[in-house]
Structures are given as structure tokens and as C-alpha cells.
Short mmCIF file of all heavy atoms in Angstrom, two decimals:
data_model
loop_
_atom_site.label_atom_id
_atom_site.label_comp_id
_atom_site.label_asym_id
_atom_site.label_seq_id
_atom_site.Cartn_x
_atom_site.Cartn_y
_atom_site.Cartn_z
N MET A 1 -77.76 -69.20 -50.15
CA MET A 1 -76.44 -69.76 -49.94
C MET A 1 -76.04 -70.70 -51.07
O MET A 1 -74.89 -70.79 -51.40
CB MET A 1 -76.40 -70.49 -48.61
CG MET A 1 -76.42 -69.55 -47.44
SD MET A 1 -75.27 -69.88 -46.11
CE MET A 1 -73.93 -70.78 -46.75
N GLY A 2 -76.97 -71.43 -51.61
CA GLY A 2 -76.65 -72.29 -52.73
C GLY A 2 -76.28 -73.70 -52.33
O GLY A 2 -76.51 -74.14 -51.22
N ARG A 3 -75.69 -74.39 -53.26
CA ARG A 3 -75.36 -75.80 -53.07
C ARG A 3 -74.28 -75.99 -52.01
O ARG A 3 -73.48 -75.10 -51.75
CB ARG A 3 -74.94 -76.41 -54.39
CG ARG A 3 -76.08 -76.33 -55.40
CD ARG A 3 -75.77 -77.10 -56.63
NE ARG A 3 -76.79 -76.83 -57.65
CZ ARG A 3 -76.93 -77.55 -58.72
NH1 ARG A 3 -76.15 -78.58 -58.95
NH2 ARG A 3 -77.86 -77.26 -59.61
N ARG A 4 -74.27 -77.17 -51.41
CA ARG A 4 -73.34 -77.45 -50.31
C ARG A 4 -72.44 -78.63 -50.63
O ARG A 4 -72.79 -79.53 -51.39
CB ARG A 4 -74.11 -77.80 -49.02
CG ARG A 4 -75.19 -76.83 -48.59
CD ARG A 4 -74.62 -75.47 -48.21
NE ARG A 4 -75.48 -74.68 -47.35
CZ ARG A 4 -76.60 -74.08 -47.73
NH1 ARG A 4 -77.05 -74.20 -48.94
NH2 ARG A 4 -77.29 -73.37 -46.87
N TRP A 5 -71.28 -78.62 -50.00
CA TRP A 5 -70.31 -79.71 -50.10
C TRP A 5 -69.92 -80.18 -48.71
O TRP A 5 -68.80 -80.58 -48.46
CB TRP A 5 -69.08 -79.27 -50.90
CG TRP A 5 -69.35 -79.21 -52.37
CD1 TRP A 5 -69.09 -80.19 -53.28
CD2 TRP A 5 -69.95 -78.14 -53.11
NE1 TRP A 5 -69.49 -79.80 -54.53
CE2 TRP A 5 -70.03 -78.54 -54.46
CE3 TRP A 5 -70.46 -76.90 -52.78
CZ2 TRP A 5 -70.57 -77.75 -55.46
CZ3 TRP A 5 -71.00 -76.11 -53.77
CH2 TRP A 5 -71.04 -76.53 -55.09
N THR A 6 -70.88 -80.10 -47.79
CA THR A 6 -70.67 -80.54 -46.42
C THR A 6 -71.70 -81.60 -46.07
O THR A 6 -72.66 -81.81 -46.82
CB THR A 6 -70.80 -79.36 -45.44
OG1 THR A 6 -72.10 -78.77 -45.58
CG2 THR A 6 -69.73 -78.30 -45.69
N GLY A 7 -71.52 -82.26 -44.94
CA GLY A 7 -72.45 -83.31 -44.55
C GLY A 7 -72.45 -84.41 -45.60
O GLY A 7 -71.39 -84.85 -46.05
N HIS A 8 -73.62 -84.82 -46.05
CA HIS A 8 -73.74 -85.85 -47.08
C HIS A 8 -73.80 -85.26 -48.48
O HIS A 8 -73.88 -85.99 -49.46
CB HIS A 8 -75.01 -86.68 -46.83
CG HIS A 8 -75.00 -87.39 -45.52
ND1 HIS A 8 -75.79 -87.01 -44.46
CD2 HIS A 8 -74.27 -88.45 -45.10
CE1 HIS A 8 -75.56 -87.81 -43.43
NE2 HIS A 8 -74.64 -88.68 -43.79
N MET A 9 -73.77 -83.94 -48.58
CA MET A 9 -73.96 -83.26 -49.85
C MET A 9 -72.65 -83.15 -50.63
O MET A 9 -71.60 -82.91 -50.06
CB MET A 9 -74.53 -81.86 -49.62
CG MET A 9 -75.84 -81.83 -48.85
SD MET A 9 -77.18 -82.79 -49.61
CE MET A 9 -77.47 -81.83 -51.08
N SER A 10 -72.76 -83.33 -51.95
CA SER A 10 -71.61 -83.20 -52.85
C SER A 10 -71.96 -82.29 -54.01
O SER A 10 -71.68 -82.60 -55.17
CB SER A 10 -71.18 -84.57 -53.37
OG SER A 10 -70.76 -85.39 -52.31
N GLY A 11 -72.63 -81.19 -53.71
CA GLY A 11 -72.99 -80.22 -54.74
C GLY A 11 -74.30 -80.51 -55.44
O GLY A 11 -74.63 -79.85 -56.44
N GLU A 12 -75.09 -81.47 -54.94
CA GLU A 12 -76.37 -81.78 -55.57
C GLU A 12 -77.33 -80.60 -55.40
O GLU A 12 -77.23 -79.83 -54.45
CB GLU A 12 -77.01 -83.04 -54.94
CG GLU A 12 -76.27 -84.31 -55.23
CD GLU A 12 -75.13 -84.57 -54.22
OE1 GLU A 12 -74.91 -83.74 -53.31
OE2 GLU A 12 -74.48 -85.60 -54.37
N GLN A 13 -78.30 -80.50 -56.31
CA GLN A 13 -79.27 -79.41 -56.25
C GLN A 13 -80.33 -79.62 -55.18
O GLN A 13 -80.81 -78.67 -54.59
CB GLN A 13 -79.96 -79.25 -57.61
CG GLN A 13 -80.96 -78.10 -57.62
CD GLN A 13 -81.57 -77.85 -58.98
OE1 GLN A 13 -81.15 -78.44 -59.98
NE2 GLN A 13 -82.54 -76.97 -59.04
N TYR A 14 -80.68 -80.87 -54.93
CA TYR A 14 -81.79 -81.14 -54.01
C TYR A 14 -81.31 -81.81 -52.73
O TYR A 14 -80.52 -82.75 -52.76
CB TYR A 14 -82.84 -82.02 -54.70
CG TYR A 14 -83.40 -81.33 -55.91
CD1 TYR A 14 -82.94 -81.65 -57.18
CD2 TYR A 14 -84.36 -80.33 -55.79
CE1 TYR A 14 -83.43 -81.00 -58.30
CE2 TYR A 14 -84.85 -79.67 -56.90
CZ TYR A 14 -84.39 -80.01 -58.15
OH TYR A 14 -84.86 -79.35 -59.26
N LEU A 15 -81.81 -81.31 -51.61
CA LEU A 15 -81.47 -81.85 -50.30
C LEU A 15 -82.74 -82.33 -49.63
O LEU A 15 -83.69 -81.56 -49.46
CB LEU A 15 -80.81 -80.76 -49.46
CG LEU A 15 -80.45 -81.13 -48.01
CD1 LEU A 15 -79.19 -80.41 -47.60
CD2 LEU A 15 -81.57 -80.82 -47.04
N GLY A 16 -82.76 -83.61 -49.28
CA GLY A 16 -83.88 -84.15 -48.54
C GLY A 16 -83.61 -84.05 -47.05
O GLY A 16 -82.50 -84.33 -46.60
N ASN A 17 -84.62 -83.64 -46.30
CA ASN A 17 -84.54 -83.61 -44.84
C ASN A 17 -85.16 -84.92 -44.36
O ASN A 17 -86.38 -85.09 -44.40
CB ASN A 17 -85.30 -82.41 -44.29
CG ASN A 17 -85.29 -82.34 -42.78
OD1 ASN A 17 -84.91 -83.28 -42.09
ND2 ASN A 17 -85.72 -81.21 -42.25
N THR A 18 -84.32 -85.86 -43.91
CA THR A 18 -84.81 -87.18 -43.51
C THR A 18 -85.67 -87.11 -42.26
O THR A 18 -86.46 -88.02 -42.02
CB THR A 18 -83.64 -88.15 -43.27
OG1 THR A 18 -82.79 -87.65 -42.24
CG2 THR A 18 -82.83 -88.36 -44.54
N ASN A 19 -85.57 -86.05 -41.49
CA ASN A 19 -86.37 -85.89 -40.28
C ASN A 19 -87.82 -85.54 -40.61
O ASN A 19 -88.75 -86.04 -39.99
CB ASN A 19 -85.76 -84.83 -39.37
CG ASN A 19 -86.44 -84.74 -38.03
OD1 ASN A 19 -86.74 -85.74 -37.40
ND2 ASN A 19 -86.69 -83.52 -37.59
N LYS A 20 -88.01 -84.69 -41.61
CA LYS A 20 -89.36 -84.22 -41.98
C LYS A 20 -89.85 -84.78 -43.31
O LYS A 20 -90.96 -84.47 -43.73
CB LYS A 20 -89.39 -82.69 -42.06
CG LYS A 20 -89.18 -82.03 -40.71
CD LYS A 20 -89.38 -80.54 -40.83
CE LYS A 20 -89.27 -79.88 -39.48
NZ LYS A 20 -89.50 -78.44 -39.55
N MET A 21 -88.99 -85.58 -43.99
CA MET A 21 -89.32 -86.13 -45.31
C MET A 21 -89.75 -85.01 -46.27
O MET A 21 -90.77 -85.07 -46.94
CB MET A 21 -90.40 -87.21 -45.21
CG MET A 21 -89.93 -88.46 -44.50
SD MET A 21 -88.47 -89.22 -45.28
CE MET A 21 -89.18 -89.85 -46.81
N GLU A 22 -88.91 -83.98 -46.30
CA GLU A 22 -89.16 -82.79 -47.11
C GLU A 22 -87.93 -82.54 -47.97
O GLU A 22 -86.80 -82.72 -47.52
CB GLU A 22 -89.38 -81.63 -46.14
CG GLU A 22 -89.77 -80.33 -46.74
CD GLU A 22 -90.11 -79.34 -45.63
OE1 GLU A 22 -89.17 -78.86 -44.95
OE2 GLU A 22 -91.29 -79.06 -45.45
N VAL A 23 -88.13 -82.15 -49.23
CA VAL A 23 -87.02 -81.88 -50.13
C VAL A 23 -86.92 -80.39 -50.41
O VAL A 23 -87.93 -79.70 -50.53
CB VAL A 23 -87.13 -82.69 -51.45
CG1 VAL A 23 -88.35 -82.28 -52.26
CG2 VAL A 23 -85.87 -82.58 -52.28
N HIS A 24 -85.67 -79.90 -50.47
CA HIS A 24 -85.37 -78.49 -50.71
C HIS A 24 -84.59 -78.35 -52.01
O HIS A 24 -83.76 -79.19 -52.35
CB HIS A 24 -84.51 -77.92 -49.58
CG HIS A 24 -85.19 -77.95 -48.26
ND1 HIS A 24 -85.94 -76.89 -47.80
CD2 HIS A 24 -85.24 -78.90 -47.30
CE1 HIS A 24 -86.42 -77.19 -46.61
NE2 HIS A 24 -86.01 -78.41 -46.28
N ASP A 25 -84.81 -77.23 -52.71
CA ASP A 25 -84.06 -76.88 -53.92
C ASP A 25 -83.00 -75.86 -53.52
O ASP A 25 -83.31 -74.71 -53.22
CB ASP A 25 -85.01 -76.27 -54.95
CG ASP A 25 -84.32 -75.87 -56.24
OD1 ASP A 25 -83.07 -75.85 -56.30
OD2 ASP A 25 -85.04 -75.55 -57.21
N LEU A 26 -81.74 -76.29 -53.49
CA LEU A 26 -80.67 -75.40 -53.03
C LEU A 26 -80.37 -74.27 -54.00
O LEU A 26 -79.74 -73.29 -53.62
CB LEU A 26 -79.41 -76.22 -52.74
CG LEU A 26 -79.57 -77.24 -51.62
CD1 LEU A 26 -78.24 -77.93 -51.34
CD2 LEU A 26 -80.13 -76.62 -50.36
N ASP A 27 -80.84 -74.37 -55.25
CA ASP A 27 -80.69 -73.27 -56.19
C ASP A 27 -81.76 -72.20 -55.98
O ASP A 27 -81.72 -71.14 -56.59
CB ASP A 27 -80.77 -73.77 -57.64
CG ASP A 27 -79.52 -74.53 -58.04
OD1 ASP A 27 -78.52 -74.54 -57.29
OD2 ASP A 27 -79.54 -75.15 -59.13
N ASN A 28 -82.73 -72.46 -55.10
CA ASN A 28 -83.81 -71.52 -54.82
C ASN A 28 -84.06 -71.41 -53.31
O ASN A 28 -85.16 -71.11 -52.88
CB ASN A 28 -85.09 -71.99 -55.53
CG ASN A 28 -86.16 -70.93 -55.53
OD1 ASN A 28 -85.89 -69.75 -55.67
ND2 ASN A 28 -87.40 -71.35 -55.34
N GLU A 29 -83.02 -71.66 -52.53
CA GLU A 29 -83.13 -71.66 -51.07
C GLU A 29 -83.63 -70.33 -50.54
O GLU A 29 -83.21 -69.27 -50.97
CB GLU A 29 -81.75 -71.95 -50.47
CG GLU A 29 -81.69 -71.93 -48.98
CD GLU A 29 -80.29 -72.18 -48.45
OE1 GLU A 29 -79.39 -72.48 -49.24
OE2 GLU A 29 -80.11 -72.06 -47.24
N LYS A 30 -84.56 -70.39 -49.58
CA LYS A 30 -85.11 -69.19 -48.95
C LYS A 30 -84.48 -69.04 -47.57
O LYS A 30 -84.74 -69.81 -46.67
CB LYS A 30 -86.63 -69.29 -48.82
CG LYS A 30 -87.34 -69.52 -50.14
CD LYS A 30 -87.05 -68.43 -51.14
CE LYS A 30 -87.79 -68.69 -52.44
NZ LYS A 30 -87.28 -67.95 -53.57
N THR A 31 -83.63 -68.01 -47.43
CA THR A 31 -82.91 -67.80 -46.18
C THR A 31 -83.56 -66.71 -45.32
O THR A 31 -83.34 -66.69 -44.12
CB THR A 31 -81.44 -67.44 -46.44
OG1 THR A 31 -81.39 -66.29 -47.28
CG2 THR A 31 -80.71 -68.59 -47.10
N ALA A 32 -84.35 -65.83 -45.93
CA ALA A 32 -85.01 -64.77 -45.16
C ALA A 32 -85.94 -65.41 -44.14
O ALA A 32 -86.72 -66.29 -44.47
CB ALA A 32 -85.79 -63.85 -46.08
N GLY A 33 -85.82 -65.01 -42.91
CA GLY A 33 -86.65 -65.59 -41.87
C GLY A 33 -86.28 -67.02 -41.53
O GLY A 33 -87.04 -67.72 -40.88
N ASN A 34 -85.09 -67.45 -41.99
CA ASN A 34 -84.60 -68.80 -41.69
C ASN A 34 -85.60 -69.88 -42.11
O ASN A 34 -85.84 -70.85 -41.40
CB ASN A 34 -84.27 -68.92 -40.20
CG ASN A 34 -83.21 -69.96 -39.92
OD1 ASN A 34 -82.45 -70.33 -40.81
ND2 ASN A 34 -83.15 -70.43 -38.70
N GLN A 35 -86.19 -69.71 -43.31
CA GLN A 35 -87.26 -70.60 -43.75
C GLN A 35 -86.80 -72.02 -44.06
O GLN A 35 -87.41 -72.98 -43.61
CB GLN A 35 -87.98 -69.99 -44.95
CG GLN A 35 -88.72 -68.73 -44.57
CD GLN A 35 -89.20 -67.96 -45.77
OE1 GLN A 35 -88.57 -67.90 -46.81
NE2 GLN A 35 -90.36 -67.33 -45.64
N CYS A 36 -85.77 -72.19 -44.87
CA CYS A 36 -85.37 -73.54 -45.28
C CYS A 36 -84.47 -74.24 -44.25
O CYS A 36 -84.49 -75.45 -44.16
CB CYS A 36 -84.69 -73.51 -46.64
SG CYS A 36 -85.84 -73.16 -48.01
N GLN A 37 -83.66 -73.50 -43.53
CA GLN A 37 -82.80 -74.03 -42.46
C GLN A 37 -81.87 -75.16 -42.94
O GLN A 37 -81.66 -76.15 -42.25
CB GLN A 37 -83.64 -74.51 -41.28
CG GLN A 37 -84.50 -73.42 -40.70
CD GLN A 37 -85.35 -73.87 -39.53
OE1 GLN A 37 -85.54 -75.06 -39.30
NE2 GLN A 37 -85.85 -72.92 -38.78
N ILE A 38 -81.28 -75.00 -44.10
CA ILE A 38 -80.42 -76.03 -44.69
C ILE A 38 -79.22 -76.35 -43.82
O ILE A 38 -78.91 -77.52 -43.59
CB ILE A 38 -79.96 -75.61 -46.11
CG1 ILE A 38 -81.17 -75.36 -47.02
CG2 ILE A 38 -79.00 -76.63 -46.70
CD1 ILE A 38 -82.11 -76.53 -47.20
N ASP A 39 -78.54 -75.32 -43.30
CA ASP A 39 -77.35 -75.58 -42.48
C ASP A 39 -77.71 -76.37 -41.22
O ASP A 39 -76.96 -77.26 -40.80
CB ASP A 39 -76.64 -74.27 -42.13
CG ASP A 39 -76.01 -73.62 -43.35
OD1 ASP A 39 -75.59 -74.36 -44.27
OD2 ASP A 39 -75.94 -72.39 -43.39
N GLU A 40 -78.86 -76.09 -40.64
CA GLU A 40 -79.30 -76.83 -39.46
C GLU A 40 -79.60 -78.29 -39.79
O GLU A 40 -79.30 -79.19 -39.02
CB GLU A 40 -80.54 -76.16 -38.84
CG GLU A 40 -80.26 -74.83 -38.18
CD GLU A 40 -80.28 -73.64 -39.16
OE1 GLU A 40 -80.29 -73.84 -40.40
OE2 GLU A 40 -80.26 -72.50 -38.67
N ILE A 41 -80.20 -78.52 -40.96
CA ILE A 41 -80.49 -79.89 -41.40
C ILE A 41 -79.19 -80.68 -41.56
O ILE A 41 -79.08 -81.82 -41.11
CB ILE A 41 -81.28 -79.87 -42.73
CG1 ILE A 41 -82.67 -79.26 -42.51
CG2 ILE A 41 -81.40 -81.28 -43.32
CD1 ILE A 41 -83.40 -78.89 -43.79
N ILE A 42 -78.18 -80.05 -42.17
CA ILE A 42 -76.89 -80.71 -42.38
C ILE A 42 -76.20 -80.97 -41.03
O ILE A 42 -75.70 -82.06 -40.79
CB ILE A 42 -75.99 -79.88 -43.32
CG1 ILE A 42 -76.60 -79.90 -44.74
CG2 ILE A 42 -74.56 -80.42 -43.33
CD1 ILE A 42 -75.92 -78.96 -45.71
N ARG A 43 -76.20 -79.96 -40.14
CA ARG A 43 -75.57 -80.14 -38.83
C ARG A 43 -76.19 -81.29 -38.04
O ARG A 43 -75.51 -82.01 -37.31
CB ARG A 43 -75.67 -78.85 -38.00
CG ARG A 43 -74.51 -77.91 -38.23
CD ARG A 43 -74.44 -76.83 -37.15
NE ARG A 43 -75.56 -75.91 -37.16
CZ ARG A 43 -75.67 -74.85 -37.96
NH1 ARG A 43 -74.71 -74.59 -38.83
NH2 ARG A 43 -76.71 -74.06 -37.90
N ALA A 44 -77.50 -81.47 -38.18
CA ALA A 44 -78.20 -82.55 -37.47
C ALA A 44 -77.99 -83.92 -38.13
O ALA A 44 -78.39 -84.94 -37.58
CB ALA A 44 -79.69 -82.23 -37.39
N GLY A 45 -77.36 -83.93 -39.31
CA GLY A 45 -77.12 -85.19 -40.02
C GLY A 45 -78.36 -85.72 -40.72
O GLY A 45 -78.44 -86.90 -41.05
N ASN A 46 -79.34 -84.83 -40.98
CA ASN A 46 -80.59 -85.23 -41.61
C ASN A 46 -80.63 -84.93 -43.11
O ASN A 46 -81.70 -84.91 -43.71
CB ASN A 46 -81.77 -84.54 -40.92
CG ASN A 46 -81.92 -84.98 -39.50
OD1 ASN A 46 -81.65 -86.12 -39.16
ND2 ASN A 46 -82.36 -84.08 -38.63
N ASP A 47 -79.48 -84.68 -43.72
CA ASP A 47 -79.41 -84.33 -45.13
C ASP A 47 -79.23 -85.56 -46.01
O ASP A 47 -78.41 -86.41 -45.73
CB ASP A 47 -78.29 -83.33 -45.38
CG ASP A 47 -76.93 -83.83 -44.90
OD1 ASP A 47 -76.83 -84.27 -43.73
OD2 ASP A 47 -75.97 -83.79 -45.69
N LYS A 48 -80.06 -85.66 -47.06
CA LYS A 48 -79.94 -86.73 -48.04
C LYS A 48 -79.90 -86.08 -49.41
O LYS A 48 -80.84 -85.38 -49.80
CB LYS A 48 -81.13 -87.68 -47.94
CG LYS A 48 -81.05 -88.80 -48.97
CD LYS A 48 -82.10 -89.85 -48.70
CE LYS A 48 -82.09 -90.93 -49.75
NZ LYS A 48 -80.86 -91.69 -49.83
N PRO A 49 -78.83 -86.31 -50.17
CA PRO A 49 -78.70 -85.66 -51.47
C PRO A 49 -79.54 -86.34 -52.55
O PRO A 49 -79.68 -87.56 -52.56
CB PRO A 49 -77.21 -85.80 -51.79
CG PRO A 49 -76.77 -87.00 -51.02
CD PRO A 49 -77.63 -87.07 -49.80
N PHE A 50 -80.07 -85.52 -53.44
CA PHE A 50 -80.77 -86.01 -54.63
C PHE A 50 -80.32 -85.18 -55.83
O PHE A 50 -80.21 -83.97 -55.74
CB PHE A 50 -82.29 -85.85 -54.47
CG PHE A 50 -82.90 -86.78 -53.46
CD1 PHE A 50 -83.20 -86.33 -52.19
CD2 PHE A 50 -83.17 -88.10 -53.79
CE1 PHE A 50 -83.76 -87.18 -51.25
CE2 PHE A 50 -83.73 -88.96 -52.86
CZ PHE A 50 -84.03 -88.51 -51.59
N THR A 51 -80.11 -85.83 -56.96
CA THR A 51 -79.71 -85.11 -58.16
C THR A 51 -80.92 -84.61 -58.94
O THR A 51 -80.80 -83.67 -59.72
CB THR A 51 -78.83 -85.98 -59.08
OG1 THR A 51 -79.53 -87.19 -59.35
CG2 THR A 51 -77.50 -86.30 -58.43
N THR A 52 -82.09 -85.23 -58.71
CA THR A 52 -83.31 -84.77 -59.38
C THR A 52 -84.45 -84.68 -58.38
O THR A 52 -84.49 -85.42 -57.39
CB THR A 52 -83.73 -85.71 -60.52
OG1 THR A 52 -84.11 -86.97 -59.96
CG2 THR A 52 -82.62 -85.89 -61.55
N LEU A 53 -85.39 -83.81 -58.67
CA LEU A 53 -86.57 -83.68 -57.84
C LEU A 53 -87.44 -84.93 -57.94
O LEU A 53 -88.01 -85.38 -56.95
CB LEU A 53 -87.36 -82.43 -58.26
CG LEU A 53 -88.59 -82.08 -57.45
CD1 LEU A 53 -88.26 -81.94 -55.96
CD2 LEU A 53 -89.21 -80.79 -57.98
N SER A 54 -87.50 -85.52 -59.12
CA SER A 54 -88.31 -86.73 -59.29
C SER A 54 -87.77 -87.88 -58.44
O SER A 54 -88.54 -88.68 -57.91
CB SER A 54 -88.42 -87.13 -60.76
OG SER A 54 -87.16 -87.41 -61.30
N ALA A 55 -86.47 -87.96 -58.26
CA ALA A 55 -85.88 -89.01 -57.41
C ALA A 55 -86.29 -88.80 -55.96
O ALA A 55 -86.61 -89.76 -55.25
CB ALA A 55 -84.37 -89.02 -57.54
N ALA A 56 -86.31 -87.55 -55.51
CA ALA A 56 -86.73 -87.25 -54.14
C ALA A 56 -88.20 -87.58 -53.94
O ALA A 56 -88.59 -88.19 -52.94
CB ALA A 56 -86.46 -85.79 -53.81
N ARG A 57 -89.02 -87.22 -54.90
CA ARG A 57 -90.45 -87.52 -54.80
C ARG A 57 -90.70 -89.02 -54.82
O ARG A 57 -91.54 -89.53 -54.07
CB ARG A 57 -91.20 -86.83 -55.92
CG ARG A 57 -91.27 -85.33 -55.72
CD ARG A 57 -92.14 -84.67 -56.74
NE ARG A 57 -92.19 -83.23 -56.55
CZ ARG A 57 -92.29 -82.38 -57.54
NH1 ARG A 57 -92.35 -82.81 -58.80
NH2 ARG A 57 -92.35 -81.09 -57.30
N SER A 58 -89.95 -89.74 -55.65
CA SER A 58 -90.09 -91.21 -55.71
C SER A 58 -89.70 -91.86 -54.38
O SER A 58 -90.22 -92.92 -54.04
CB SER A 58 -89.22 -91.79 -56.82
OG SER A 58 -89.72 -91.41 -58.08
N ALA A 59 -88.81 -91.20 -53.65
CA ALA A 59 -88.37 -91.71 -52.34
C ALA A 59 -89.34 -91.30 -51.23
O ALA A 59 -89.09 -91.60 -50.06
CB ALA A 59 -86.96 -91.23 -52.04
N GLY A 60 -90.42 -90.59 -51.57
CA GLY A 60 -91.43 -90.24 -50.58
C GLY A 60 -91.30 -88.87 -49.97
O GLY A 60 -91.96 -88.56 -48.98
N TYR A 61 -90.45 -88.01 -50.53
CA TYR A 61 -90.25 -86.66 -49.99
C TYR A 61 -91.27 -85.69 -50.56
O TYR A 61 -91.58 -85.72 -51.75
CB TYR A 61 -88.83 -86.17 -50.29
CG TYR A 61 -87.79 -86.83 -49.43
CD1 TYR A 61 -87.35 -88.12 -49.72
CD2 TYR A 61 -87.26 -86.19 -48.32
CE1 TYR A 61 -86.40 -88.75 -48.91
CE2 TYR A 61 -86.33 -86.81 -47.51
CZ TYR A 61 -85.90 -88.08 -47.82
OH TYR A 61 -84.98 -88.70 -47.02
N ASP A 62 -91.77 -84.80 -49.70
CA ASP A 62 -92.70 -83.75 -50.09
C ASP A 62 -91.90 -82.47 -50.35
O ASP A 62 -90.81 -82.29 -49.81
CB ASP A 62 -93.71 -83.52 -48.96
CG ASP A 62 -94.81 -82.54 -49.33
OD1 ASP A 62 -95.15 -82.45 -50.53
OD2 ASP A 62 -95.32 -81.87 -48.43
N ASN A 63 -92.44 -81.57 -51.15
CA ASN A 63 -91.78 -80.29 -51.44
C ASN A 63 -91.73 -79.40 -50.21
O ASN A 63 -92.68 -79.34 -49.44
CB ASN A 63 -92.55 -79.52 -52.52
CG ASN A 63 -92.43 -80.12 -53.89
OD1 ASN A 63 -91.73 -81.09 -54.10
ND2 ASN A 63 -93.14 -79.53 -54.83
N CYS A 64 -90.64 -78.66 -50.07
CA CYS A 64 -90.57 -77.58 -49.10
C CYS A 64 -91.54 -76.50 -49.57
O CYS A 64 -91.55 -76.13 -50.76
CB CYS A 64 -89.15 -77.01 -49.03
SG CYS A 64 -89.04 -75.45 -48.12
N ALA A 65 -92.36 -76.01 -48.68
CA ALA A 65 -93.35 -74.99 -49.03
C ALA A 65 -92.70 -73.67 -49.46
O ALA A 65 -93.30 -72.89 -50.19
CB ALA A 65 -94.28 -74.74 -47.85
N TYR A 66 -91.46 -73.43 -49.03
CA TYR A 66 -90.80 -72.15 -49.31
C TYR A 66 -90.00 -72.16 -50.61
O TYR A 66 -90.21 -71.29 -51.45
CB TYR A 66 -89.87 -71.76 -48.16
CG TYR A 66 -90.60 -71.67 -46.84
CD1 TYR A 66 -90.37 -72.61 -45.84
CD2 TYR A 66 -91.52 -70.66 -46.60
CE1 TYR A 66 -91.04 -72.53 -44.63
CE2 TYR A 66 -92.21 -70.58 -45.40
CZ TYR A 66 -91.96 -71.51 -44.42
OH TYR A 66 -92.63 -71.45 -43.23
N CYS A 67 -89.11 -73.10 -50.80
CA CYS A 67 -88.22 -73.05 -51.96
C CYS A 67 -88.78 -73.77 -53.18
O CYS A 67 -88.36 -73.49 -54.30
CB CYS A 67 -86.82 -73.58 -51.61
SG CYS A 67 -86.77 -75.30 -51.10
N LEU A 68 -89.71 -74.71 -52.98
CA LEU A 68 -90.31 -75.42 -54.11
C LEU A 68 -91.79 -75.13 -54.28
O LEU A 68 -92.31 -75.15 -55.39
CB LEU A 68 -90.11 -76.93 -53.97
CG LEU A 68 -88.70 -77.42 -54.25
CD1 LEU A 68 -88.52 -78.86 -53.76
CD2 LEU A 68 -88.39 -77.32 -55.72
N GLY A 69 -92.49 -74.90 -53.18
CA GLY A 69 -93.93 -74.67 -53.25
C GLY A 69 -94.69 -75.96 -53.51
O GLY A 69 -94.10 -77.04 -53.62
N ASN A 70 -95.99 -75.87 -53.59
CA ASN A 70 -96.86 -77.02 -53.86
C ASN A 70 -96.67 -78.16 -52.86
O ASN A 70 -96.76 -79.33 -53.23
CB ASN A 70 -96.68 -77.53 -55.29
CG ASN A 70 -97.05 -76.49 -56.31
OD1 ASN A 70 -98.03 -75.78 -56.15
ND2 ASN A 70 -96.27 -76.38 -57.36
N SER A 71 -96.42 -77.83 -51.60
CA SER A 71 -96.31 -78.85 -50.56
C SER A 71 -97.69 -79.48 -50.35
O SER A 71 -98.71 -78.79 -50.43
CB SER A 71 -95.83 -78.22 -49.26
OG SER A 71 -95.88 -79.15 -48.21
N THR A 72 -97.70 -80.76 -50.10
CA THR A 72 -98.99 -81.42 -49.88
C THR A 72 -99.33 -81.49 -48.39
O THR A 72 -100.31 -82.12 -48.01
CB THR A 72 -98.96 -82.86 -50.46
OG1 THR A 72 -97.92 -83.61 -49.84
CG2 THR A 72 -98.76 -82.83 -51.96
N ARG A 73 -98.53 -80.86 -47.55
CA ARG A 73 -98.80 -80.88 -46.10
C ARG A 73 -99.58 -79.67 -45.66
O ARG A 73 -99.49 -78.62 -46.12
CB ARG A 73 -97.48 -80.93 -45.33
CG ARG A 73 -96.74 -82.19 -45.61
CD ARG A 73 -95.46 -82.18 -44.86
NE ARG A 73 -94.65 -83.23 -45.45
CZ ARG A 73 -93.44 -83.51 -45.09
NH1 ARG A 73 -92.86 -82.83 -44.17
NH2 ARG A 73 -92.78 -84.48 -45.65
#
């Protein structure tokens, strides 16, 4: 689906899920099997935008195992 302009998002590449402390790459979103569930995260109000992956990691977010890989969970 790509980048979003809904919820807290303004076209940023990275979306943090504040509920799971997990960051997603919207340029590499995995929709098959509903893996990343970005729309559900936004609907629940758990979306936090990040312009860089390093900013998300500095804020304590772990990688999504599907769109970024190398999750530490």
C-alpha cells in the first residue's frame, strides 16, 4: 500500500506501532497474509511517524520481522 497520510502519518517512510514498540517500513510493507497490519495500527491510534529508521530505533522500537527483518524479539 505504501506511505500513508492518515492518522498521525504525513507521508513518512517509517511507522512505529506504539502498542508493540515495533517499527515498519512503509516502502516495503508486507500485505500478504495481513502481516504488517498498518491500517489496523492507524485505526487503533497506535501509529507514530518516523522519518528515519535510526530515529525509531533510538526511541526504543524494534524492527518488524516482516518488512524490515532482523527483529530482536
Side-chain angles (χ1 to χ4, degrees):
M1 288 225 25
R3 299 189 189 194
R4 308 295 201 288
W5 284 265
T6 58
H8 299 108
M9 303 302 293
S10 297
E12 292 86 359
Q13 181 175 353
Y14 300 99
L15 177 146
N17 178 348
T18 60
N19 187 44
K20 293 186 176 182
M21 292 303 290
E22 185 173 73
V23 65
H24 297 268
D25 180 349
L26 297 184
D27 287 351
N28 192 38
E29 178 182 354
K30 303 302 181 198
T31 56
N34 207 21
Q35 293 169 325
C36 289
Q37 301 180 344
I38 301 302
D39 292 329
E40 289 85 348
I41 294 166
I42 292 172
R43 271 195 295 277
N46 295 327
D47 56 309
K48 179 170 177 62
F50 290 100
T51 55
T52 66
L53 184 55
S54 61
R57 288 186 181 146
S58 292
Y61 286 78
D62 186 30
N63 288 357
C64 168
Y66 303 110
C67 62
L68 286 167
N70 298 320
S71 173
T72 59
R73 296 179 195 178

